[in-house]
mmCIF file of all heavy atoms in Angstrom:
data_model
loop_
_atom_site.group_PDB
_atom_site.id
_atom_site.type_symbol
_atom_site.label_atom_id
_atom_site.label_comp_id
_atom_site.label_asym_id
_atom_site.label_seq_id
_atom_site.Cartn_x
_atom_site.Cartn_y
_atom_site.Cartn_z
ATOM 1 N N VAL C 1 -1.306 1.266 10.911
ATOM 2 C CA VAL C 1 -0.728 -0.078 10.778
ATOM 3 C C VAL C 1 0.625 -0.143 11.479
ATOM 4 O O VAL C 1 1.356 0.854 11.549
ATOM 5 C CB VAL C 1 -0.581 -0.490 9.278
ATOM 6 C CG1 VAL C 1 0.364 0.464 8.569
ATOM 7 C CG2 VAL C 1 -0.186 -1.896 9.116
ATOM 8 N N ASP C 2 0.864 -1.295 12.106
ATOM 9 C CA ASP C 2 2.206 -1.527 12.705
ATOM 10 C C ASP C 2 3.143 -2.094 11.639
ATOM 11 O O ASP C 2 2.788 -3.083 11.005
ATOM 12 C CB ASP C 2 2.104 -2.504 13.889
ATOM 13 C CG ASP C 2 1.288 -1.944 15.046
ATOM 14 O OD1 ASP C 2 1.313 -0.714 15.224
ATOM 15 O OD2 ASP C 2 0.595 -2.714 15.714
ATOM 16 N N VAL C 3 4.315 -1.480 11.443
ATOM 17 C CA VAL C 3 5.299 -1.977 10.525
ATOM 18 C C VAL C 3 6.435 -2.509 11.345
ATOM 19 O O VAL C 3 7.084 -1.790 12.087
ATOM 20 C CB VAL C 3 5.786 -0.805 9.606
ATOM 21 C CG1 VAL C 3 6.883 -1.349 8.666
ATOM 22 C CG2 VAL C 3 4.648 -0.232 8.814
ATOM 23 N N LYS C 4 6.646 -3.828 11.265
ATOM 24 C CA LYS C 4 7.671 -4.509 12.029
ATOM 25 C C LYS C 4 8.816 -4.925 11.153
ATOM 26 O O LYS C 4 8.594 -5.499 10.057
ATOM 27 C CB LYS C 4 7.100 -5.761 12.712
ATOM 28 C CG LYS C 4 8.070 -6.400 13.648
ATOM 29 C CD LYS C 4 7.491 -7.518 14.479
ATOM 30 C CE LYS C 4 8.534 -8.030 15.453
ATOM 31 N NZ LYS C 4 7.999 -9.020 16.321
ATOM 32 N N ASN C 5 10.020 -4.584 11.585
ATOM 33 C CA ASN C 5 11.259 -4.969 10.860
ATOM 34 C C ASN C 5 11.634 -6.358 11.348
ATOM 35 O O ASN C 5 12.123 -6.527 12.454
ATOM 36 C CB ASN C 5 12.366 -3.942 11.108
ATOM 37 C CG ASN C 5 13.605 -4.254 10.293
ATOM 38 O OD1 ASN C 5 13.810 -5.362 9.851
ATOM 39 N ND2 ASN C 5 14.411 -3.257 10.115
ATOM 40 N N ILE C 6 11.352 -7.374 10.545
ATOM 41 C CA ILE C 6 11.625 -8.759 10.975
ATOM 42 C C ILE C 6 12.953 -9.235 10.429
ATOM 43 O O ILE C 6 13.345 -10.407 10.621
ATOM 44 C CB ILE C 6 10.497 -9.717 10.577
ATOM 45 C CG1 ILE C 6 10.245 -9.695 9.050
ATOM 46 C CG2 ILE C 6 9.191 -9.356 11.291
ATOM 47 C CD1 ILE C 6 9.235 -10.706 8.571
ATOM 48 N N GLY C 7 13.720 -8.333 9.796
ATOM 49 C CA GLY C 7 15.045 -8.658 9.331
ATOM 50 C C GLY C 7 16.135 -8.385 10.364
ATOM 51 O O GLY C 7 15.838 -8.071 11.505
ATOM 52 N N LYS C 8 17.356 -8.450 9.909
ATOM 53 C CA LYS C 8 18.520 -8.294 10.811
ATOM 54 C C LYS C 8 19.188 -6.915 10.638
ATOM 55 O O LYS C 8 20.179 -6.692 11.293
ATOM 56 C CB LYS C 8 19.526 -9.392 10.523
ATOM 57 C CG LYS C 8 18.995 -10.773 10.873
ATOM 58 C CD LYS C 8 20.016 -11.867 10.597
ATOM 59 C CE LYS C 8 19.384 -13.197 10.954
ATOM 60 N NZ LYS C 8 20.154 -14.330 10.521
ATOM 61 N N ARG C 9 18.652 -6.081 9.813
ATOM 62 C CA ARG C 9 19.265 -4.737 9.551
ATOM 63 C C ARG C 9 18.228 -3.622 9.728
ATOM 64 O O ARG C 9 17.026 -3.838 9.491
ATOM 65 C CB ARG C 9 19.840 -4.659 8.165
ATOM 66 C CG ARG C 9 20.912 -5.672 7.883
ATOM 67 C CD ARG C 9 21.565 -5.422 6.604
ATOM 68 N NE ARG C 9 21.980 -4.048 6.493
ATOM 69 C CZ ARG C 9 22.830 -3.578 5.566
ATOM 70 N NH1 ARG C 9 23.328 -4.404 4.740
ATOM 71 N NH2 ARG C 9 23.184 -2.326 5.564
ATOM 72 N N ASP C 10 18.675 -2.499 10.202
ATOM 73 C CA ASP C 10 17.794 -1.308 10.237
ATOM 74 C C ASP C 10 17.405 -0.963 8.784
ATOM 75 O O ASP C 10 18.191 -1.201 7.881
ATOM 76 C CB ASP C 10 18.546 -0.124 10.850
ATOM 77 C CG ASP C 10 18.932 -0.362 12.279
ATOM 78 O OD1 ASP C 10 18.496 -1.375 12.904
ATOM 79 O OD2 ASP C 10 19.717 0.446 12.814
ATOM 80 N N GLY C 11 16.231 -0.374 8.645
ATOM 81 C CA GLY C 11 15.858 0.003 7.295
ATOM 82 C C GLY C 11 14.670 0.980 7.248
ATOM 83 O O GLY C 11 14.003 1.187 8.294
ATOM 84 N N ASP C 12 14.399 1.489 6.132
ATOM 85 C CA ASP C 12 13.215 2.331 5.840
ATOM 86 C C ASP C 12 12.215 1.579 5.018
ATOM 87 O O ASP C 12 12.599 0.835 4.143
ATOM 88 C CB ASP C 12 13.632 3.641 5.110
ATOM 89 C CG ASP C 12 14.311 4.614 5.966
ATOM 90 O OD1 ASP C 12 14.597 4.328 7.143
ATOM 91 O OD2 ASP C 12 14.509 5.765 5.458
ATOM 92 N N GLU C 13 10.943 1.755 5.320
ATOM 93 C CA GLU C 13 9.886 1.189 4.502
ATOM 94 C C GLU C 13 8.969 2.314 4.061
ATOM 95 O O GLU C 13 8.766 3.296 4.822
ATOM 96 C CB GLU C 13 9.079 0.126 5.358
ATOM 97 C CG GLU C 13 7.867 -0.417 4.666
ATOM 98 C CD GLU C 13 8.125 -1.254 3.386
ATOM 99 O OE1 GLU C 13 9.139 -0.991 2.715
ATOM 100 O OE2 GLU C 13 7.300 -2.097 3.098
ATOM 101 N N VAL C 14 8.463 2.210 2.874
ATOM 102 C CA VAL C 14 7.452 3.166 2.384
ATOM 103 C C VAL C 14 6.087 2.426 2.386
ATOM 104 O O VAL C 14 5.866 1.547 1.575
ATOM 105 C CB VAL C 14 7.833 3.682 0.994
ATOM 106 C CG1 VAL C 14 6.735 4.681 0.519
ATOM 107 C CG2 VAL C 14 9.200 4.338 0.977
ATOM 108 N N VAL C 15 5.251 2.797 3.314
ATOM 109 C CA VAL C 15 3.932 2.267 3.443
ATOM 110 C C VAL C 15 3.049 2.918 2.374
ATOM 111 O O VAL C 15 3.049 4.137 2.254
ATOM 112 C CB VAL C 15 3.344 2.479 4.821
ATOM 113 C CG1 VAL C 15 1.902 1.897 4.919
ATOM 114 C CG2 VAL C 15 4.225 1.864 5.895
ATOM 115 N N GLN C 16 2.362 2.115 1.532
ATOM 116 C CA GLN C 16 1.542 2.603 0.475
ATOM 117 C C GLN C 16 0.090 2.209 0.603
ATOM 118 O O GLN C 16 -0.153 1.049 0.969
ATOM 119 C CB GLN C 16 2.092 2.113 -0.869
ATOM 120 C CG GLN C 16 3.572 2.401 -1.118
ATOM 121 C CD GLN C 16 4.093 1.678 -2.311
ATOM 122 O OE1 GLN C 16 3.706 1.920 -3.406
ATOM 123 N NE2 GLN C 16 5.024 0.740 -2.053
ATOM 124 N N ILE C 17 -0.821 3.110 0.314
ATOM 125 C CA ILE C 17 -2.233 2.777 0.365
ATOM 126 C C ILE C 17 -2.817 2.909 -1.084
ATOM 127 O O ILE C 17 -2.715 3.943 -1.699
ATOM 128 C CB ILE C 17 -3.037 3.733 1.282
ATOM 129 C CG1 ILE C 17 -2.514 3.698 2.686
ATOM 130 C CG2 ILE C 17 -4.508 3.442 1.233
ATOM 131 C CD1 ILE C 17 -3.153 4.665 3.630
ATOM 132 N N TYR C 18 -3.362 1.795 -1.545
ATOM 133 C CA TYR C 18 -4.031 1.768 -2.839
ATOM 134 C C TYR C 18 -5.530 1.557 -2.600
ATOM 135 O O TYR C 18 -5.914 0.775 -1.740
ATOM 136 C CB TYR C 18 -3.467 0.625 -3.676
ATOM 137 C CG TYR C 18 -2.028 0.814 -4.086
ATOM 138 C CD1 TYR C 18 -0.996 0.365 -3.251
ATOM 139 C CD2 TYR C 18 -1.736 1.436 -5.291
ATOM 140 C CE1 TYR C 18 0.328 0.521 -3.644
ATOM 141 C CE2 TYR C 18 -0.396 1.610 -5.641
ATOM 142 C CZ TYR C 18 0.612 1.183 -4.824
ATOM 143 O OH TYR C 18 1.908 1.364 -5.185
ATOM 144 N N ILE C 19 -6.301 2.212 -3.433
ATOM 145 C CA ILE C 19 -7.784 2.146 -3.316
ATOM 146 C C ILE C 19 -8.361 1.717 -4.633
ATOM 147 O O ILE C 19 -7.947 2.164 -5.694
ATOM 148 C CB ILE C 19 -8.389 3.450 -2.847
ATOM 149 C CG1 ILE C 19 -7.900 3.731 -1.410
ATOM 150 C CG2 ILE C 19 -9.881 3.458 -2.969
ATOM 151 C CD1 ILE C 19 -8.399 5.042 -0.841
ATOM 152 N N LYS C 20 -9.405 0.902 -4.577
ATOM 153 C CA LYS C 20 -10.281 0.553 -5.742
ATOM 154 C C LYS C 20 -11.676 0.934 -5.362
ATOM 155 O O LYS C 20 -12.204 0.543 -4.305
ATOM 156 C CB LYS C 20 -10.148 -0.950 -6.019
ATOM 157 C CG LYS C 20 -11.280 -1.528 -6.892
ATOM 158 C CD LYS C 20 -11.202 -1.009 -8.344
ATOM 159 C CE LYS C 20 -12.272 -1.686 -9.188
ATOM 160 N NZ LYS C 20 -12.645 -0.845 -10.281
ATOM 161 N N ASN C 21 -12.354 1.682 -6.190
ATOM 162 C CA ASN C 21 -13.725 2.093 -5.956
ATOM 163 C C ASN C 21 -14.637 0.988 -6.520
ATOM 164 O O ASN C 21 -14.722 0.851 -7.716
ATOM 165 C CB ASN C 21 -14.053 3.455 -6.632
ATOM 166 C CG ASN C 21 -15.459 3.898 -6.361
ATOM 167 O OD1 ASN C 21 -16.283 3.138 -5.913
ATOM 168 N ND2 ASN C 21 -15.695 5.157 -6.639
ATOM 169 N N PRO C 22 -15.325 0.211 -5.653
ATOM 170 C CA PRO C 22 -16.139 -0.891 -6.154
ATOM 171 C C PRO C 22 -17.376 -0.406 -6.945
ATOM 172 O O PRO C 22 -17.974 -1.180 -7.694
ATOM 173 C CB PRO C 22 -16.589 -1.568 -4.884
ATOM 174 C CG PRO C 22 -16.463 -0.589 -3.781
ATOM 175 C CD PRO C 22 -15.353 0.350 -4.208
ATOM 176 N N ASN C 23 -17.709 0.893 -6.836
ATOM 177 C CA ASN C 23 -18.871 1.420 -7.560
ATOM 178 C C ASN C 23 -18.449 1.975 -8.888
ATOM 179 O O ASN C 23 -19.272 2.627 -9.600
ATOM 180 C CB ASN C 23 -19.533 2.547 -6.752
ATOM 181 C CG ASN C 23 -20.072 1.997 -5.432
ATOM 182 O OD1 ASN C 23 -20.614 0.899 -5.371
ATOM 183 N ND2 ASN C 23 -19.901 2.760 -4.351
ATOM 184 N N ASP C 24 -17.181 1.805 -9.290
ATOM 185 C CA ASP C 24 -16.674 2.323 -10.564
ATOM 186 C C ASP C 24 -16.010 1.191 -11.351
ATOM 187 O O ASP C 24 -14.818 1.066 -11.379
ATOM 188 C CB ASP C 24 -15.662 3.474 -10.279
ATOM 189 C CG ASP C 24 -15.180 4.138 -11.548
ATOM 190 O OD1 ASP C 24 -15.768 3.903 -12.640
ATOM 191 O OD2 ASP C 24 -14.207 4.893 -11.440
ATOM 192 N N PRO C 25 -16.840 0.341 -11.972
ATOM 193 C CA PRO C 25 -16.235 -0.844 -12.667
ATOM 194 C C PRO C 25 -15.312 -0.479 -13.807
ATOM 195 O O PRO C 25 -14.438 -1.251 -14.155
ATOM 196 C CB PRO C 25 -17.470 -1.598 -13.176
ATOM 197 C CG PRO C 25 -18.608 -0.633 -13.154
ATOM 198 C CD PRO C 25 -18.292 0.384 -12.137
ATOM 199 N N GLU C 26 -15.464 0.678 -14.390
ATOM 200 C CA GLU C 26 -14.590 1.088 -15.531
ATOM 201 C C GLU C 26 -13.363 1.854 -15.026
ATOM 202 O O GLU C 26 -12.445 2.139 -15.770
ATOM 203 C CB GLU C 26 -15.334 1.997 -16.450
ATOM 204 C CG GLU C 26 -16.524 1.350 -17.131
ATOM 205 C CD GLU C 26 -16.143 0.122 -17.986
ATOM 206 O OE1 GLU C 26 -15.132 0.236 -18.717
ATOM 207 O OE2 GLU C 26 -16.804 -0.913 -17.871
ATOM 208 N N GLY C 27 -13.349 2.124 -13.732
ATOM 209 C CA GLY C 27 -12.234 2.887 -13.116
ATOM 210 C C GLY C 27 -10.983 2.033 -12.916
ATOM 211 O O GLY C 27 -10.963 0.895 -13.256
ATOM 212 N N PRO C 28 -10.000 2.674 -12.304
ATOM 213 C CA PRO C 28 -8.702 1.966 -12.035
ATOM 214 C C PRO C 28 -8.878 0.723 -11.206
ATOM 215 O O PRO C 28 -9.734 0.637 -10.298
ATOM 216 C CB PRO C 28 -7.913 2.986 -11.299
ATOM 217 C CG PRO C 28 -8.559 4.302 -11.516
ATOM 218 C CD PRO C 28 -10.009 4.042 -11.795
ATOM 219 N N ILE C 29 -8.044 -0.274 -11.489
ATOM 220 C CA ILE C 29 -8.005 -1.478 -10.703
ATOM 221 C C ILE C 29 -7.507 -1.123 -9.282
ATOM 222 O O ILE C 29 -7.957 -1.696 -8.270
ATOM 223 C CB ILE C 29 -7.066 -2.527 -11.334
ATOM 224 C CG1 ILE C 29 -7.658 -2.977 -12.709
ATOM 225 C CG2 ILE C 29 -6.793 -3.746 -10.437
ATOM 226 C CD1 ILE C 29 -6.685 -3.715 -13.573
ATOM 227 N N LYS C 30 -6.622 -0.193 -9.209
ATOM 228 C CA LYS C 30 -6.101 0.334 -7.960
ATOM 229 C C LYS C 30 -5.499 1.704 -8.216
ATOM 230 O O LYS C 30 -5.039 1.967 -9.353
ATOM 231 C CB LYS C 30 -5.130 -0.611 -7.279
ATOM 232 C CG LYS C 30 -3.826 -0.818 -8.089
ATOM 233 C CD LYS C 30 -2.900 -1.761 -7.347
ATOM 234 C CE LYS C 30 -1.619 -1.953 -8.168
ATOM 235 N NZ LYS C 30 -0.715 -2.858 -7.441
ATOM 236 N N ALA C 31 -5.457 2.533 -7.220
ATOM 237 C CA ALA C 31 -4.846 3.875 -7.367
ATOM 238 C C ALA C 31 -4.128 4.236 -6.064
ATOM 239 O O ALA C 31 -4.741 4.073 -4.970
ATOM 240 C CB ALA C 31 -5.882 4.917 -7.693
ATOM 241 N N LEU C 32 -2.910 4.662 -6.167
ATOM 242 C CA LEU C 32 -2.148 5.108 -4.955
ATOM 243 C C LEU C 32 -2.816 6.365 -4.414
ATOM 244 O O LEU C 32 -2.941 7.382 -5.118
ATOM 245 C CB LEU C 32 -0.725 5.363 -5.288
ATOM 246 C CG LEU C 32 0.190 5.816 -4.156
ATOM 247 C CD1 LEU C 32 0.385 4.724 -3.114
ATOM 248 C CD2 LEU C 32 1.570 6.261 -4.704
ATOM 249 N N LYS C 33 -3.199 6.318 -3.090
ATOM 250 C CA LYS C 33 -3.865 7.458 -2.489
ATOM 251 C C LYS C 33 -3.136 7.984 -1.265
ATOM 252 O O LYS C 33 -3.486 9.039 -0.734
ATOM 253 C CB LYS C 33 -5.303 7.070 -2.102
ATOM 254 C CG LYS C 33 -6.167 6.727 -3.296
ATOM 255 C CD LYS C 33 -6.339 7.892 -4.220
ATOM 256 C CE LYS C 33 -7.245 7.542 -5.425
ATOM 257 N NZ LYS C 33 -7.582 8.720 -6.214
ATOM 258 N N GLY C 34 -2.134 7.298 -0.809
ATOM 259 C CA GLY C 34 -1.402 7.782 0.352
ATOM 260 C C GLY C 34 -0.136 6.932 0.539
ATOM 261 O O GLY C 34 -0.086 5.788 0.161
#
């Protein structure tokens, strides 16, 4: 993914990946995986 700083200051961003397993209806709504 391209992360663009559209503000006026330099900064750090933490890109997060959340996953939901559609085959697991009782499982988490989302889970941080990266």
Side-chain angles (χ1 to χ4, degrees):
V1 62
D2 295 329
V3 178
K4 185 171 185 178
N5 184 338
I6 58 175
K8 295 179 180 171
R9 296 188 54 165
D10 298 349
D12 284 7
E13 173 66 331
V14 179
V15 178
Q16 304 170 66
I17 300 175
Y18 293 89
I19 292 178
K20 162 69 176 153
N21 183 344
N23 299 321
D24 185 11
E26 298 300 316
I29 295 167
K30 64 181 180 179
L32 179 67
K33 297 298 184 171

